[in-house]
Amino acid sequence: MAVTDTGQIRAGRDYAKRPIRLFKNINAKIAALPMILTASVIFIGCSAWTIVHSFTSSKLLPKLNFVGFDQYERLWGSARWLVSVQNLVIFGICSLIATFIIAFILAALLDRKIRFEDGFRTIFLYPFALSFIVTGLVWQWILNPDFGLQSIVRGLGWESFNFDPLYNPDIVIFGILIAGLWQGTGLIMCIMLAGLRGIDEDIWKAAKVDGIGTVKTYLLIIIPMLKPVFVTSLVLVSAGIIKVYDLVVAQTSGGPGISSEVPAKYVYDTLFLRQNLAQGFAASTMMLAMVIVILIPYVYLQYGGKKDG
């Protein structure tokens, strides 16, 4: 009995000597305080301020004159906003699919240790060093029917050739998509190439011994192993999709008409050109809601499923 009591006393002393959980790694927590405060004040605080004022009738200056959901009803009754959301959905889905397919194919080809690999990698990655404004202007010139690609091809003898997506309201968003893919695919390619280079060579040797073809090896073995790489790429591409603005302004300024409007441009124009703060805040809040709706299922599948298992 005495031995048991002594053991309990020692355990109690050891527990008492343990540092309080709050003070563990105190130096690291103190160093992180500026970042935590910045994120709390700027992101959470400003987001809350924006959401609150989206329920007001603020125009040029913010004021707490609440009008309920009037701004949201007006927002979803606006043809321009509906076109913006539709364009974002089309641009987002096509951008995700095309970026991942093109980037992975390029990364897989470069991973085969082809000649002049460094040169090709530099060429593919170089557009990412340019700003979106520069990229938009370059592709505006390329897609201009008067002196761009269409004019060049017609000059070679194909007089009936037509390719002017930026001037066609039905396909203008795909002209913007081309510029976006040209700039962003190289970075995703490099990320995927780094992931492929991390695959053990023994896996390829084992697949060859088992008689598994190259394409089947990629689909059944390599791609599932690159899940963290695809998650990182997904975050980067999604962030670029949500905030797409520069390309639209540089290439079309939202035209022809309102056919290439996007939510980010709608928010900017409403806040600074129309000086309608509450309407702009309502649109910003809806953009935040779109992001949350997309992230909740992903976070649940990534972390909630693991806890259940």
Side-chain angles (χ1 to χ4, degrees):
M1 186 72 175
V3 175
T4 304
D5 292 341
T6 303
Q8 291 177 348
I9 292 172
R10 287 178 179 175
R13 288 175 179 174
D14 293 339
Y15 182 81
K17 291 180 180 179
R18 291 178 184 174
I20 300 175
R21 188 172 183 181
L22 178 63
F23 297 103
K24 285 184 177 180
N25 302 321
I26 188 65
N27 292 333
K29 291 179 179 178
I30 292 174
L33 273 177
M35 180 191 69
I36 295 173
L37 292 174
T38 301
S40 300
V41 173
I42 294 180
F43 181 74
I44 299 176
C46 292
S47 296
W49 188 86
T50 299
I51 294 171
V52 169
H53 282 81
S54 70
F55 293 97
T56 67
S57 60
S58 302
K59 293 292 184 181
L60 179 61
L61 296 174
K63 57 181 179 180
L64 292 175
N65 181 17
F66 292 99
V67 294
F69 290 92
D70 287 358
Q71 298 296 344
Y72 292 93
E73 292 177 2
R74 193 173 297 115
L75 177 69
W76 286 102
S78 169
R80 189 179 180 195
W81 171 254
L82 295 177
V83 171
S84 299
V85 174
Q86 179 183 345
N87 285 336
L88 183 66
V89 172
I90 296 173
F91 182 88
I93 294 174
C94 294
S95 182
L96 278 174
I97 295 174
T99 298
F100 273 63
I101 291 176
I102 296 172
F104 185 79
I105 291 174
L106 292 176
L109 292 174
L110 292 179
D111 189 47
R112 309 306 292 179
K113 297 181 175 61
I114 62 174
R115 295 181 61 184
F116 310 114
E117 175 193 332
D118 293 340
F120 283 118
R121 189 167 61 242
T122 302
I123 292 172
F124 293 139
L125 184 60
Y126 179 76
F128 185 74
L130 303 176
S131 69
F132 282 107
I133 291 294
V134 173
T135 299
L137 290 175
V138 168
W139 279 96
Q140 184 194 52
W141 298 334
I142 294 175
L143 299 177
N144 189 298
D146 295 327
F147 50 82
L149 184 62
Q150 176 177 295
S151 177
I152 294 173
V153 175
R154 286 186 177 184
L156 296 175
W158 286 276
E159 295 292 339
S160 61
F161 179 78
N162 288 310
F163 189 69
D164 55 347
L166 298 184
Y167 297 85
N168 187 337
D170 297 327
I171 60 173
V172 62
I173 194 64
F174 296 103
I176 298 171
L177 176 65
I178 293 172
L181 292 175
W182 181 76
Q183 179 167 30
T185 303
L187 175 65
I188 305 303
M189 179 207 70
C190 289
I191 294 174
M192 291 185 178
L193 179 60
L196 289 173
R197 290 288 163 84
I199 301 294
D200 195 339
E201 289 290 339
D202 292 338
I203 294 176
W204 285 103
K205 294 177 182 177
K208 289 181 179 179
V209 171
D210 292 338
I212 303 176
T214 302
V215 175
K216 211 169 185 179
T217 303
Y218 275 116
L219 294 176
L220 301 180
I221 301 175
I222 303 301
I223 290 180
M225 294 178 66
L226 294 177
K227 183 178 178 181
V229 174
F230 282 103
V231 170
T232 302
S233 302
L234 177 64
V235 171
L236 292 175
V237 175
S238 300
I241 291 170
I242 294 296
K243 64 181 183 181
V244 61
Y245 169 80
D246 312 61
L247 286 176
V248 176
V249 172
Q251 288 186 273
T252 65
S253 295
I258 60 171
S259 57
S260 62
E261 288 287 339
V262 289
K265 187 175 181 298
Y266 181 93
V267 171
Y268 180 88
D269 290 348
T270 304
L271 289 175
F272 299 104
L273 299 183
R274 299 181 183 87
Q275 298 177 348
N276 189 340
L277 293 183
Q279 182 71 186
F281 291 156
S284 300
T285 303
M286 292 310 305
M287 289 180 65
L288 178 62
M290 293 176 192
V291 174
I292 293 174
V293 167
I294 293 172
L295 286 180
I296 286 177
Y298 169 74
V299 171
Y300 176 77
L301 292 174
Q302 283 293 108
Y303 302 103
K306 292 181 180 179
K307 290 181 181 179
D308 295 339

